[in-house]
């Protein structure tokens, strides 16, 4: 670049890293990433555990066609699979220790898929995804085809779906997710549960650097432990200050701070304040929390007790549910079930969303472990030896995140706010693209996903590349 502009990127998550790689590969030499944490990756957070890496953050590559993560990596990495859709590996357990009839459950799962495919109707809906599912479910169950499904089973399955939707969307409540917006998130064709096996999602960063041929230069451009606490974009040079009182100057700034952290900080972070439309997006797009617990056992007890499964789901009988509601075990009702971690034969994992995430994050490790064992014993009706190790996440209370990922809530829809509003570039008074925004929450098509973050990071860099090409021509 003849002009050699200084581009600063806030955040070394996937969107920040890809933006830097894209710029560097196009000849921008003056690129700096300021990262608040002491590592790169952001919400890709692979941690050593057992003989490999488990993922506290992003774990699955969902879809193949049109998924930029898959498209970038599949020739370099042979993905595994969790087996979410493998009916042989699925077991439905009821809270009294009995099992769900497999055929019956399969029939209801097909019904669920049918409802999920009603995209056109969802698009027309003014209500929540919870309202939509409940209405369609009840209508469909009127058919004689479902005469063999008794009321208790209907209710238990509905509660299970609700639990799953809340975890998938990291939402407090499925009545908070806009059905219309739910229908707008694009599902890439192909396998939805591709795993990084024991290598962890962090493998993506090695592949990105190799593909962009920046392995040698990128590391010198990333400054860790540099939390940005103020950005002044009043003049042509943007002044960026970090918590340790270092001051940087930039010509352009790409902001990839997670929406959860932006919500807390944006008013103090930017001078002048961000445009009204941007603030409205920051304040009204929802940022939820997904939690994870990993339990490592001496031996896979589930095989020994003839409970073999890849995934087990928990269906609550009403009376059992009532018994723990209002107690300090209520958080357990937000657990869908447990799954085997691909490549880790001794580890079970569970995921949870819902309205008890704050409690979950403040509970001690010991309580989390004890409660999980209580739950497994209740549903499996077996005695379980204590795990030899346990890991759990805390995304809500991590100050650089304040949650896990974004979704469009009923409020988002009512306020007529879109992820594009969050992405919109802010120009300074001289018409220069000054603040560019990228990250998972700015992606309408793939909100919440790594491939959404990756696409928006690349796009932000492309905007600057185009801007400089135009400048050259003038
Ligand atoms: C529990 C969990 C499970 C998930 N599961 C999946 C999954 O299975 N599949 C999938 O596709 N996606 C999943 N996701 C979502 C995925 O991880 C994110 O969409 C993606 O990683 C976000 O990338 P990003 O670049 O937008 O943001 P981030 O990765 O969050 O990067 C932003 C960076 O900004 C830094 N930062 C924040 N504030 C400042 C500041 N003031 N100064 C400097 N730096 C700052 C942060 O430390 C962070 O490193 C999951 C996320 C979580 C949390």
């Amino acid at each position: 670049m003849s002009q050699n502009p200084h581009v600063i990127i806030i955040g070394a998550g996937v969107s920040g890293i890809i933006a830097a790689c894209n710029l560097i590969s196009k000849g921008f030499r003056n690129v700096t990433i300021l990262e608040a944490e002491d590592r790169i990756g952001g919400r890709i957070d692979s941690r050593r555990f057992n003989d490999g890496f488990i993922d506290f953050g992003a774990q699955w590559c969902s879809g193949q066609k049109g998924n930029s993560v898959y498209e970038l990596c599949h020739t370099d990495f042979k993905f595994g699979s969790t087996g979410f859709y493998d009916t042989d590996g699925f077991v439905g357990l009821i809270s009294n220790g009995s099992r769900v009839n497999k055929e019956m459950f399969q029939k209801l799962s097909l019904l669920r898929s049918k409802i999920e495919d009603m995209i056109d109707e969802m698009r027309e809906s003014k209500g929540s995804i919870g309202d939509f599912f409940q209405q369609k479910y009840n209508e469909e169950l009127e058919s004689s085809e479902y005469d063999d499904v008794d009321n208790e089973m209907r209710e238990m399955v509905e509660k299970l779906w609700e639990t799953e939707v809340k975890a998938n969307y990291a939402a407090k409540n499925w009545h908070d997710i806009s059905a219309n917006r739910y229908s707008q998130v694009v599902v890439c064709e192909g396998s939805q549960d591709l795993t990084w096996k024991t290598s962890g999602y962090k493998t993506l960063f090695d592949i990105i650097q190799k593909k962009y041929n920046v392995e040698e230069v990128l590391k010198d451009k990333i400054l860790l432990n540099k939390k940005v606490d103020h950005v002044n974009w009043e003049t042509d040079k943007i002044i960026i200050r970090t918590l340790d009182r270092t001051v940087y100057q930039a010509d352009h700034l790409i902001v990839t701070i997670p929406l959860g952290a932006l919500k807390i900080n944006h008013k103090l972070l930017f001078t002048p304040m961000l445009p009204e439309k941007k603030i409205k997006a920051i304040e009204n797009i929802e940022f939820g929390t997904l939690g994870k617990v990993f339990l490592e056992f001496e031996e896979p007890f589930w095989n020994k007790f003839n409970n073999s499964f890849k995934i087990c789901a928990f269906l609550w009988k009403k009376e059992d549910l009532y018994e723990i509601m209002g107690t300090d075990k209520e958080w357990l009702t937000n657990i869908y079930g447990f799954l085997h971690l691909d490549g880790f034969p001794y580890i079970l994992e569970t995921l949870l969303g819902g309205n008890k995430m704050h409690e979950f994050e403040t509970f001690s490790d010991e309580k989390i472990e004890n409660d999980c064992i209580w739950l497994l014993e209740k549903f499996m009706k077996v005695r379980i030896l204590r795990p030899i190790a346990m890991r759990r996440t805390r995304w809500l209370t991590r100050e650089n995140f304040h949650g896990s990922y974004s979704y469009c809530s009923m409020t988002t829809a009512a306020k007529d706010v879109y992820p594009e509003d969050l992405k919109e570039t802010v120009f300074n008074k001289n018409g220069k693209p000054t603040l560019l925004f990228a990250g998972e929450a700015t992606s309408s098509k793939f909100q919440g996903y790594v491939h959404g973050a990756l696409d928006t990071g690349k796009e932000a860099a492309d905007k600057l590349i185009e801007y400089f090409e135009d400048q050259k021509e003038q």
Side-chain angles (χ1 to χ4, degrees), residues 10-16 34-37 41-44 56-60 62 201 226-228 256-258 261 290 292 395 400-401 404-405 439-440 448-451 453:
I10 311 183
V14 66
S15 59
L34 300 175
E35 167 55 52
E37 304 251 313
R43 283 169 278 168
I44 291 178
F56 269 32
Q59 184 168 349
W60 288 278
S62 305
Y201 218 127
K226 289 285 182 186
K227 181 164 179 154
V228 173
T256 77
I257 298 174
L290 174 73
K292 295 187 182 186
W395 285 101
N400 296 318
F401 302 93
S404 57
Y405 45 87
E440 154 276 310
Y449 290 103
V450 174
H451 48 291

Side-chain angles (χ1 to χ4, degrees), residues 4-6 30 232-240 248-252 428 430 432 434:
N4 208 15
H6 190 192
N30 209 355
N232 187 324
W233 56 284
E234 213 161 10
T235 55
D236 227 38
K237 282 279 178 208
I238 311 162
I239 315 288
I240 297 130
Y248 301 85
Q249 288 196 6
D251 298 291
H252 306 272
N428 73 3
N430 301 326
K432 190 168 91 174
T434 303

Side-chain angles (χ1 to χ4, degrees), residues 82-109:
T82 298
F84 280 146
Y85 308 97
D86 169 6
T87 45
D88 285 342
F90 175 88
V91 55
L93 302 169
I94 303 180
S95 53
N96 62 0
S98 61
R99 287 189 181 200
V100 180
N101 173 304
K102 244 189 172 154
E103 284 72 42
M104 168 95 70
F105 194 82
Q106 249 169 285
K107 193 155 94 172
L108 290 170
S109 298

Side-chain angles (χ1 to χ4, degrees), residues 87 100-114 137 140-141 143-150 154 157 161:
T87 45
V100 180
N101 173 304
K102 244 189 172 154
E103 284 72 42
M104 168 95 70
F105 194 82
Q106 249 169 285
K107 193 155 94 172
L108 290 170
S109 298
L110 287 176
L111 171 56
R112 179 190 165 157
S113 303
K114 184 177 167 187
Y137 185 49
E140 295 284 333
L141 286 175
S143 153
S144 55
E145 196 188 332
Y146 300 105
D147 283 351
D148 55 341
V149 186
D150 64 31
R154 289 171 185 216
V157 168
W161 291 355

Side-chain angles (χ1 to χ4, degrees), residues 458-473:
K458 186 170 174 301
E459 204 184 309
D462 281 341
K463 280 184 194 162
L464 283 181
I465 294 163
E466 249 171 62
Y467 171 75
F468 279 97
E469 275 168 5
D470 288 350
Q471 295 284 98
K472 241 194 296 180
E473 277 167 23

